[in-house]
Short mmCIF file of all heavy atoms in Angstrom, two decimals:
data_model
loop_
_atom_site.label_atom_id
_atom_site.label_comp_id
_atom_site.label_asym_id
_atom_site.label_seq_id
_atom_site.Cartn_x
_atom_site.Cartn_y
_atom_site.Cartn_z
N ASN A 74 -118.68 217.08 -35.77
CA ASN A 74 -117.73 216.11 -35.25
C ASN A 74 -117.02 215.37 -36.39
O ASN A 74 -115.79 215.21 -36.36
CB ASN A 74 -118.43 215.11 -34.33
CG ASN A 74 -117.46 214.16 -33.68
OD1 ASN A 74 -116.51 214.58 -33.04
ND2 ASN A 74 -117.68 212.87 -33.86
N ALA A 75 -117.77 214.95 -37.40
CA ALA A 75 -117.17 214.24 -38.53
C ALA A 75 -116.19 215.14 -39.28
O ALA A 75 -115.10 214.69 -39.68
CB ALA A 75 -118.26 213.73 -39.48
N VAL A 76 -116.55 216.39 -39.48
CA VAL A 76 -115.66 217.32 -40.16
C VAL A 76 -114.40 217.54 -39.33
O VAL A 76 -113.29 217.57 -39.86
CB VAL A 76 -116.38 218.67 -40.43
CG1 VAL A 76 -115.40 219.73 -40.87
CG2 VAL A 76 -117.47 218.49 -41.48
N GLY A 77 -114.55 217.64 -38.01
CA GLY A 77 -113.39 217.81 -37.15
C GLY A 77 -112.43 216.64 -37.25
O GLY A 77 -111.20 216.83 -37.29
N VAL A 78 -112.96 215.44 -37.31
CA VAL A 78 -112.11 214.25 -37.48
C VAL A 78 -111.37 214.32 -38.80
O VAL A 78 -110.15 214.09 -38.86
CB VAL A 78 -112.96 212.95 -37.38
CG1 VAL A 78 -112.15 211.74 -37.82
CG2 VAL A 78 -113.48 212.76 -35.97
N ASN A 79 -112.07 214.67 -39.88
CA ASN A 79 -111.43 214.77 -41.19
C ASN A 79 -110.37 215.86 -41.22
O ASN A 79 -109.28 215.67 -41.77
CB ASN A 79 -112.47 215.03 -42.28
CG ASN A 79 -113.33 213.82 -42.55
OD1 ASN A 79 -112.93 212.70 -42.30
ND2 ASN A 79 -114.53 214.05 -43.05
N LEU A 80 -110.68 217.02 -40.63
CA LEU A 80 -109.70 218.10 -40.59
C LEU A 80 -108.46 217.68 -39.81
O LEU A 80 -107.33 217.98 -40.21
CB LEU A 80 -110.30 219.36 -39.99
CG LEU A 80 -111.21 220.18 -40.91
CD1 LEU A 80 -111.89 221.30 -40.14
CD2 LEU A 80 -110.43 220.75 -42.07
N ASN A 81 -108.65 216.98 -38.72
CA ASN A 81 -107.53 216.51 -37.92
C ASN A 81 -106.63 215.57 -38.75
O ASN A 81 -105.41 215.67 -38.72
CB ASN A 81 -108.03 215.80 -36.66
CG ASN A 81 -106.94 215.57 -35.65
OD1 ASN A 81 -105.96 216.31 -35.59
ND2 ASN A 81 -107.11 214.56 -34.83
N GLN A 82 -107.24 214.68 -39.51
CA GLN A 82 -106.48 213.77 -40.36
C GLN A 82 -105.71 214.54 -41.44
O GLN A 82 -104.55 214.23 -41.73
CB GLN A 82 -107.41 212.75 -41.02
CG GLN A 82 -107.99 211.76 -40.04
CD GLN A 82 -109.09 210.92 -40.64
OE1 GLN A 82 -109.62 211.22 -41.71
NE2 GLN A 82 -109.48 209.85 -39.94
N LEU A 83 -106.35 215.55 -42.01
CA LEU A 83 -105.70 216.34 -43.05
C LEU A 83 -104.53 217.16 -42.49
O LEU A 83 -103.49 217.31 -43.14
CB LEU A 83 -106.71 217.25 -43.75
CG LEU A 83 -107.72 216.51 -44.62
CD1 LEU A 83 -108.84 217.45 -45.04
CD2 LEU A 83 -107.05 215.91 -45.84
N VAL A 84 -104.69 217.67 -41.29
CA VAL A 84 -103.60 218.42 -40.66
C VAL A 84 -102.43 217.49 -40.37
O VAL A 84 -101.27 217.86 -40.59
CB VAL A 84 -104.10 219.13 -39.37
CG1 VAL A 84 -102.94 219.65 -38.55
CG2 VAL A 84 -105.05 220.26 -39.74
N ARG A 85 -102.72 216.28 -39.91
CA ARG A 85 -101.64 215.31 -39.71
C ARG A 85 -100.90 215.04 -41.02
O ARG A 85 -99.68 214.97 -41.04
CB ARG A 85 -102.19 214.00 -39.13
CG ARG A 85 -102.14 213.97 -37.64
CD ARG A 85 -102.37 212.58 -37.10
NE ARG A 85 -103.60 212.69 -36.32
CZ ARG A 85 -104.62 211.87 -36.38
NH1 ARG A 85 -104.60 210.83 -37.16
NH2 ARG A 85 -105.68 212.07 -35.65
N HIS A 86 -101.66 214.89 -42.09
CA HIS A 86 -101.07 214.67 -43.41
C HIS A 86 -100.19 215.86 -43.81
O HIS A 86 -99.07 215.69 -44.30
CB HIS A 86 -102.16 214.44 -44.46
CG HIS A 86 -101.65 214.35 -45.85
ND1 HIS A 86 -101.11 213.20 -46.37
CD2 HIS A 86 -101.56 215.29 -46.83
CE1 HIS A 86 -100.72 213.43 -47.61
NE2 HIS A 86 -100.99 214.68 -47.92
N ALA A 87 -100.72 217.06 -43.59
CA ALA A 87 -99.97 218.27 -43.94
C ALA A 87 -98.67 218.35 -43.15
O ALA A 87 -97.62 218.70 -43.70
CB ALA A 87 -100.83 219.51 -43.69
N ASN A 88 -98.73 218.03 -41.87
CA ASN A 88 -97.52 218.06 -41.05
C ASN A 88 -96.51 217.01 -41.49
O ASN A 88 -95.31 217.25 -41.48
CB ASN A 88 -97.86 217.88 -39.57
CG ASN A 88 -98.51 219.10 -38.97
OD1 ASN A 88 -98.27 220.22 -39.41
ND2 ASN A 88 -99.33 218.90 -37.94
N ALA A 89 -96.99 215.85 -41.87
CA ALA A 89 -96.09 214.75 -42.26
C ALA A 89 -95.47 214.98 -43.63
O ALA A 89 -94.32 214.60 -43.86
CB ALA A 89 -96.86 213.43 -42.25
N HIS A 90 -96.20 215.61 -44.54
CA HIS A 90 -95.75 215.74 -45.92
C HIS A 90 -95.40 217.17 -46.33
O HIS A 90 -94.97 217.39 -47.46
CB HIS A 90 -96.80 215.17 -46.88
CG HIS A 90 -97.08 213.73 -46.63
ND1 HIS A 90 -96.18 212.71 -46.91
CD2 HIS A 90 -98.16 213.11 -46.09
CE1 HIS A 90 -96.69 211.55 -46.57
NE2 HIS A 90 -97.91 211.76 -46.06
N GLY A 91 -95.64 218.12 -45.45
CA GLY A 91 -95.27 219.50 -45.74
C GLY A 91 -96.14 220.18 -46.77
O GLY A 91 -95.75 221.19 -47.35
N GLN A 92 -97.34 219.65 -47.01
CA GLN A 92 -98.27 220.31 -47.94
C GLN A 92 -99.69 220.14 -47.45
O GLN A 92 -100.03 219.13 -46.84
CB GLN A 92 -98.12 219.75 -49.36
CG GLN A 92 -98.57 218.31 -49.52
CD GLN A 92 -98.32 217.79 -50.91
OE1 GLN A 92 -97.22 217.40 -51.21
NE2 GLN A 92 -99.34 217.78 -51.73
N VAL A 93 -100.49 221.16 -47.70
CA VAL A 93 -101.89 221.16 -47.26
C VAL A 93 -102.77 220.65 -48.39
O VAL A 93 -102.78 221.22 -49.48
CB VAL A 93 -102.33 222.58 -46.84
CG1 VAL A 93 -103.79 222.59 -46.42
CG2 VAL A 93 -101.43 223.10 -45.72
N PRO A 94 -103.51 219.56 -48.17
CA PRO A 94 -104.41 219.05 -49.20
C PRO A 94 -105.49 220.07 -49.56
O PRO A 94 -105.93 220.86 -48.71
CB PRO A 94 -105.04 217.81 -48.56
CG PRO A 94 -104.13 217.43 -47.44
CD PRO A 94 -103.50 218.72 -46.98
N GLU A 95 -105.93 220.06 -50.80
CA GLU A 95 -106.95 221.01 -51.28
C GLU A 95 -108.26 220.86 -50.52
O GLU A 95 -109.01 221.82 -50.36
CB GLU A 95 -107.20 220.80 -52.77
CG GLU A 95 -106.05 221.21 -53.64
CD GLU A 95 -106.35 220.98 -55.12
OE1 GLU A 95 -107.53 220.96 -55.50
OE2 GLU A 95 -105.37 220.83 -55.87
N SER A 96 -108.55 219.68 -50.03
CA SER A 96 -109.83 219.44 -49.37
C SER A 96 -109.96 220.18 -48.04
O SER A 96 -111.06 220.32 -47.51
CB SER A 96 -110.07 217.94 -49.17
OG SER A 96 -108.96 217.36 -48.52
N VAL A 97 -108.86 220.67 -47.48
CA VAL A 97 -108.93 221.41 -46.22
C VAL A 97 -109.82 222.65 -46.38
O VAL A 97 -110.66 222.93 -45.52
CB VAL A 97 -107.51 221.81 -45.73
CG1 VAL A 97 -107.60 222.81 -44.59
CG2 VAL A 97 -106.73 220.59 -45.29
N THR A 98 -109.68 223.37 -47.46
CA THR A 98 -110.48 224.57 -47.69
C THR A 98 -111.96 224.22 -47.76
O THR A 98 -112.79 224.89 -47.14
CB THR A 98 -110.04 225.26 -48.99
OG1 THR A 98 -108.66 225.56 -48.89
CG2 THR A 98 -110.82 226.54 -49.23
N TRP A 99 -112.29 223.18 -48.50
CA TRP A 99 -113.69 222.77 -48.63
C TRP A 99 -114.26 222.34 -47.28
O TRP A 99 -115.36 222.74 -46.90
CB TRP A 99 -113.82 221.62 -49.62
CG TRP A 99 -115.23 221.16 -49.79
CD1 TRP A 99 -116.15 221.67 -50.64
CD2 TRP A 99 -115.89 220.13 -49.04
NE1 TRP A 99 -117.36 221.02 -50.48
CE2 TRP A 99 -117.22 220.06 -49.51
CE3 TRP A 99 -115.50 219.26 -48.04
CZ2 TRP A 99 -118.14 219.17 -49.00
CZ3 TRP A 99 -116.42 218.37 -47.53
CH2 TRP A 99 -117.73 218.32 -48.00
N LEU A 100 -113.51 221.52 -46.53
CA LEU A 100 -113.99 221.05 -45.24
C LEU A 100 -114.16 222.19 -44.24
O LEU A 100 -115.14 222.23 -43.49
CB LEU A 100 -113.05 220.00 -44.65
CG LEU A 100 -113.23 218.59 -45.21
CD1 LEU A 100 -112.10 217.69 -44.72
CD2 LEU A 100 -114.57 218.01 -44.81
N ALA A 101 -113.23 223.13 -44.25
CA ALA A 101 -113.35 224.27 -43.34
C ALA A 101 -114.59 225.09 -43.68
O ALA A 101 -115.35 225.49 -42.79
CB ALA A 101 -112.09 225.13 -43.41
N ALA A 102 -114.84 225.33 -44.96
CA ALA A 102 -116.02 226.08 -45.38
C ALA A 102 -117.30 225.35 -44.99
O ALA A 102 -118.27 225.96 -44.50
CB ALA A 102 -115.98 226.33 -46.88
N TYR A 103 -117.32 224.03 -45.17
CA TYR A 103 -118.48 223.23 -44.81
C TYR A 103 -118.73 223.30 -43.31
O TYR A 103 -119.86 223.47 -42.86
CB TYR A 103 -118.29 221.78 -45.25
CG TYR A 103 -119.42 220.88 -44.83
CD1 TYR A 103 -120.66 220.96 -45.45
CD2 TYR A 103 -119.25 219.95 -43.81
CE1 TYR A 103 -121.71 220.15 -45.07
CE2 TYR A 103 -120.29 219.14 -43.42
CZ TYR A 103 -121.51 219.23 -44.05
OH TYR A 103 -122.55 218.42 -43.66
N CYS A 104 -117.66 223.21 -42.52
CA CYS A 104 -117.78 223.27 -41.07
C CYS A 104 -118.38 224.61 -40.64
O CYS A 104 -119.29 224.66 -39.81
CB CYS A 104 -116.41 223.06 -40.43
SG CYS A 104 -116.48 222.93 -38.64
N PHE A 105 -117.90 225.71 -41.22
CA PHE A 105 -118.45 227.02 -40.89
C PHE A 105 -119.92 227.10 -41.27
O PHE A 105 -120.73 227.69 -40.54
CB PHE A 105 -117.65 228.14 -41.56
CG PHE A 105 -116.31 228.38 -40.91
CD1 PHE A 105 -115.16 228.28 -41.66
CD2 PHE A 105 -116.21 228.70 -39.57
CE1 PHE A 105 -113.92 228.49 -41.07
CE2 PHE A 105 -114.98 228.92 -38.97
CZ PHE A 105 -113.83 228.81 -39.72
N GLN A 106 -120.30 226.51 -42.40
CA GLN A 106 -121.70 226.51 -42.83
C GLN A 106 -122.57 225.78 -41.82
O GLN A 106 -123.64 226.26 -41.44
CB GLN A 106 -121.80 225.86 -44.21
CG GLN A 106 -123.20 225.76 -44.75
CD GLN A 106 -123.25 224.99 -46.05
OE1 GLN A 106 -122.28 224.38 -46.48
NE2 GLN A 106 -124.40 224.99 -46.69
N VAL A 107 -122.12 224.63 -41.36
CA VAL A 107 -122.89 223.85 -40.39
C VAL A 107 -123.00 224.61 -39.07
O VAL A 107 -124.07 224.67 -38.46
CB VAL A 107 -122.27 222.45 -40.18
CG1 VAL A 107 -122.93 221.73 -39.01
CG2 VAL A 107 -122.38 221.62 -41.45
#
Side-chain angles (χ1 to χ4, degrees):
N74 185 55
V76 168
V78 169
N79 289 335
L80 282 172
N81 193 27
Q82 292 170 345
L83 290 169
V84 167
R85 268 193 243 132
H86 173 82
N88 287 332
H90 300 290
Q92 68 183 81
V93 178
E95 291 180 24
S96 53
V97 168
T98 303
W99 180 86
L100 279 171
Y103 177 72
C104 187
F105 286 122
Q106 178 185 9
V107 171

